[in-house]
DNA sequence: ACTCTCCGTGGACGCCATCGACCTGAGCCT
DNA sequence: AGGCTCAGGTCGATGGCGTCCACGGAGAGT
């Protein structure tokens, strides 16, 4: 992970569809060199994947909610995790410090679907209680912060 | 937005670096047709961009926190938003229902930087109070849920 | 029925991805 | 010091891809 790797990561976080040739121009290496570096970043787990950023309302996921989960005393967190992982509506899952062990970000199409999700969560073994906060709007999300040197 | 557009969105949410030729094969159209459809999805604001998904610890952003903000009565939310937008550590920002008007997801390198961020937030005009919860680990994040027809 | 429009296909051409061969400099052993 | 080894780069070649263009068929409106 030298400065060039950081620049590559920055560039790809900004636009994952840049060609290797373009990346090469930006960092001042040849295309094959960039190709090899990016390949290593991928296989070493630095770059986990490439994703299109899509407006959720446009694909019928207009309701965003953040749900905190309090675990039963004696519940097994690993089992719970597996139960959560199965629910596709849960886009993100954090294990938290504090009373609420998990914090979930969920996206659904309607409030009715959110209700169903919450019911299902409360029925999940190990869940003592849930607390749901609804996002009225997403101002921005997953904005990449630059880590490399400033782009000259 | 027909079924093919949804499939394209699904495919690109799964892997934003798929070539147009590959997308074309998957949806059963020609490459130019896919190229045009994707271009329209981009310019109509359905596809907002393409981002590499990077392991945050690998780039020195090992501390994740969720911060709720309570606004002063009479504060201007738009001004606050601009103040928040300027802080690069804030990766996501939701406008919430409930006592806390905003919910932020922030990533920093160290607890000390988190402390500085919280101090800055509390000094921001319009902020009455903040509440910070620290994520001990990110189980997963921004998992795309499939919206198209099941991939046959 | 004619035509307009939309949306697709197929062909062409230049650029890109990717492979292999070779080069160079750093570090280390003798 | 000399030379081995290896990591990591460049260069050149080739096949596939991105992208532009001209053309064609289906459906709606008159």
């Amino acid at each position: 992970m030298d400065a060039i790797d950081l620049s590559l990561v920055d560039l790809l976080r900004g636009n994952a569809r840049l060609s290797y040739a373009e990346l090469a121009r930006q960092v001042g290496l040849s295309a094959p060199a960039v190709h090899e570096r990016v390949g290593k970043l991928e296989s070493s787990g630095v770059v986990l994947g490439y994703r299109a950023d899509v407006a959720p309302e446009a694909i019928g996921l207009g309701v965003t909610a953040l749900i905190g989960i309090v675990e039963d005393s004696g519940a097994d967190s690993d089992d719970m995790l597996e139960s959560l992982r199965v629910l596709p509506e849960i886009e993100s899952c954090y294990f938290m410090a504090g009373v609420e062990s998990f914090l979930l970000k969920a996206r659904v199409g309607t409030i009715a679907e959110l209700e169903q999700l919450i019911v299902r969560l409360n029925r999940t073994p190990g869940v003592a209680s849930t607390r749901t906060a609804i996002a009225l709007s997403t101002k921005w999300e997953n904005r990449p912060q630059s880590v490399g040197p400033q782009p000259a």
Side-chain angles (χ1 to χ4, degrees), chain A:
Chain A
M1 274 301 271
D2 61 4
I4 291 183
D5 282 336
L6 285 176
S7 297
L8 289 173
V9 165
D10 258 12
L11 289 166
L12 286 171
R13 291 219 297 170
N15 180 4
R17 279 183 83 79
L18 288 175
S19 68
Y20 291 116
E22 182 59 29
L23 291 170
R25 276 188 287 270
Q26 301 272 342
V27 303
L29 288 181
S30 64
V34 167
H35 188 257
E36 184 175 346
R37 277 175 178 265
V38 172
K40 285 181 182 172
L41 289 172
E42 290 169 0
S43 55
S44 68
V46 174
V47 171
L48 302 171
Y50 304 95
R51 293 213 233 84
D53 180 19
V54 174
E57 326 79 68
I59 54 173
L61 296 173
V63 176
T64 304
L66 293 151
I67 307 176
I69 294 196
V70 179
E71 272 185 304
D72 270 335
S73 58
D76 181 14
S77 290
D78 290 344
D79 289 349
M80 270 223 33
L81 257 181
E82 290 319 303
S83 308
L84 295 176
R85 202 182 295 275
V86 159
L87 301 173
E89 300 91 337
I90 301 176
E91 294 194 346
S92 304
C93 173
Y94 306 91
F95 185 62
M96 305 294 291
V99 178
E100 297 175 346
S101 306
F102 294 97
L103 196 282
L104 316 176
K105 186 188 77 183
R107 279 225 159 87
V108 293
T110 62
I111 296 287
E113 289 171 316
L114 179 58
E115 179 175 340
Q116 289 174 14
L117 175 63
I118 295 171
V119 168
R120 248 178 300 155
L121 285 172
N122 279 305
R123 281 195 196 130
T124 300
V127 171
S129 68
T130 64
R131 182 183 60 92
T132 301
I134 291 188
L136 300 172
S137 75
T138 299
K139 297 307 181 186
W140 67 86
E141 207 169 19
N142 301 126
R143 186 173 56 162
Q145 51 178 307
S146 155
V147 292
Q150 54 280 30

